Amino acid sequence: MLKAAVVPLMPPLEAGDHLDQATFHQRYQAMPAGFRAELIGGVVIVPSPLKPEHGEYHALVMMWLGHYWAATPGTRVRDNATAILGDTSEPQPDGVLIIDPAYGGQTGYSEDGYAISPPELVVEVASSSESIDLNAKRRDYEQAGVLEYVVIVLRQRVVRWFCLQDRVVTAPDSGIFESKTFPGLRLAAEALLQLDGPTVIETLRQGLATPAHETFVQQLQQQRG
């Protein structure tokens, strides 16, 4: 008499579970469509539902990054894409800006198509997740090798821009941040916090018009060649 194969049930992911990345990834793929979770420092984080305010700031951040991407061949932008960063880390950043691997960037792809290795620049919009984004997630990004980390802290109404490998936070007197990794990537912090899209984009355009950005684009093309 043949016996039916016994297929073990995959335990659902729950906030606070302590897992390695491989186990988290396997369970995450078995969860219902629409479920969202991250693995930060080996701990499962299930985010709260997002309010319209978060969505509006996220949209402006992605518009800002998208304009830079369009003007800078050899870079790429990702929106809410999983990043596998190590044995205990699989976040899903709000936005990332990378140098395309074909142009010398430090990211890559797993066999099943997920992003692996650290993005050059990560942006998070933080409200209820503020403590996680500024502490545990920041440590994960730093340890993985992320170069720059930008957190839009909605409750405090402040932008924090970390140069992780230098262990410093940049806070320019002008209120305009500029990336060390991506020349010309400028951010008018106060305009962003006021959801003043035209000023955010105009400030970026001024950065894109600089010789430093032109040189960077040329360097990227040389890397591909």
Side-chain angles (χ1 to χ4, degrees), residues 144-156:
V146 171
L147 302 181
E148 296 183 85
Y149 179 38
V150 183
V151 187
I152 316 303
V153 190
L154 297 184
R155 290 178 177 177
Q156 298 180 30

Side-chain angles (χ1 to χ4, degrees), residues 8 15 20 23-24 95 137 139 164 173 213 218:
D20 58 64
T23 303
F24 169 81
K137 190 174 283 189
R139 287 193 295 271
L164 292 177
D173 293 337
H213 178 259
Q218 293 172 352

